[in-house]
Amino acid sequence: MGARKNASVGEVAFEYAYGLFADKGIDGASLADIALSCGISKGTLYYYYPNKDILISRCAEACVKNIDNSLLNWVESLDDATEPVKAFEDIAYIFSYEREDISLMLSLFGSTDPDIRLMMRSAIKKWQVMIEMGALRLSRRYAERLSRLSAAILHILIGAAAVGGSREEAKNALNALIDK
């Protein structure tokens, strides 16, 4: 995310934590790593975030919101003139492994915290509905079929990201759905 000028110490710590959790995973980044990366003492970090779980939860909420916003923008960009190949290209970018949000999302899927697990399960359901809504905005020729396949589309995207697949590989897998 990168720290902003004139941001509070707590905001700077959050932004560095978001990036470190995305890079190293939520288990791989320690509070000491976060404090060191943003140039504050561990005690100062504890003042803003008394424990790592609070920071992880805040990052998880921001991650889900970022992906929600990306998907909503994607849905709003579609209409009946949009070719499915273009729609798949755009959604493959949203779920590409190179994006910080997606790296963090993958780490959050591995969380043992029941609240984080519930948040991620809810996000998956919401994202599936958003993909369904996007599919229904395409031409009638594709809309119903792709709407029914929204769960498969989402799982292809997440699976491709999890194995570090390229956007092109994800897009090709999605295009295979149309050809069947």
Side-chain angles (χ1 to χ4, degrees), residues 3 57 61 73 82 100 105 131 141 158 166-168 173:
S57 182
E61 289 168 2
N73 289 335
T82 306
E100 193 174 59
M105 174 199 72
I131 291 171
R141 177 177 169 207
I158 292 171
S166 70
R167 286 191 301 250
E168 192 66 28

Side-chain angles (χ1 to χ4, degrees), residues 104-111 117 120-121 124 127 158:
L104 180 54
M105 174 199 72
L106 293 171
S107 181
L108 292 166
F109 283 147
S111 175
R117 294 178 66 85
M120 298 312 293
R121 275 196 304 276
I124 288 286
W127 297 338
I158 292 171

Side-chain angles (χ1 to χ4, degrees), residues 39-52:
I40 61 173
S41 71
K42 202 169 166 187
T44 301
L45 182 61
Y46 276 112
Y47 173 79
Y48 290 96
Y49 299 99
N51 63 57
K52 187 176 173 182

Side-chain angles (χ1 to χ4, degrees), residues 7-58:
S8 74
V9 172
E11 281 303 306
V12 170
F14 160 74
E15 290 175 9
Y16 275 98
Y18 195 101
L20 283 172
F21 290 149
D23 289 344
K24 294 182 172 189
I26 57 175
D27 293 328
S30 68
L31 289 178
D33 294 333
I34 295 164
L36 182 64
S37 71
C38 55
I40 61 173
S41 71
K42 202 169 166 187
T44 301
L45 182 61
Y46 276 112
Y47 173 79
Y48 290 96
Y49 299 99
N51 63 57
K52 187 176 173 182
D53 291 338
I54 292 171
L55 196 49
I56 291 170
S57 182
R58 177 153 183 232

Side-chain angles (χ1 to χ4, degrees), residues 90-151:
D90 292 345
I91 199 169
Y93 171 74
I94 292 169
F95 282 92
S96 65
Y97 181 73
E98 299 89 25
R99 290 194 52 211
E100 193 174 59
D101 298 327
I102 300 308
S103 296
L104 180 54
M105 174 199 72
L106 293 171
S107 181
L108 292 166
F109 283 147
S111 175
T112 57
D113 180 297
D115 293 331
I116 299 292
R117 294 178 66 85
L118 179 62
M119 181 188 310
M120 298 312 293
R121 275 196 304 276
S122 295
I124 288 286
K125 290 177 185 175
K126 180 174 31 174
W127 297 338
Q128 181 181 336
V129 169
M130 293 172 96
I131 291 171
E132 212 172 305
M133 290 170 37
L136 290 171
R137 292 182 64 124
L138 299 175
S139 77
R140 208 170 158 85
R141 177 177 169 207
Y142 303 107
E144 287 184 37
R145 177 186 167 98
L146 294 178
S147 176
R148 285 192 308 270
L149 292 171
S150 61

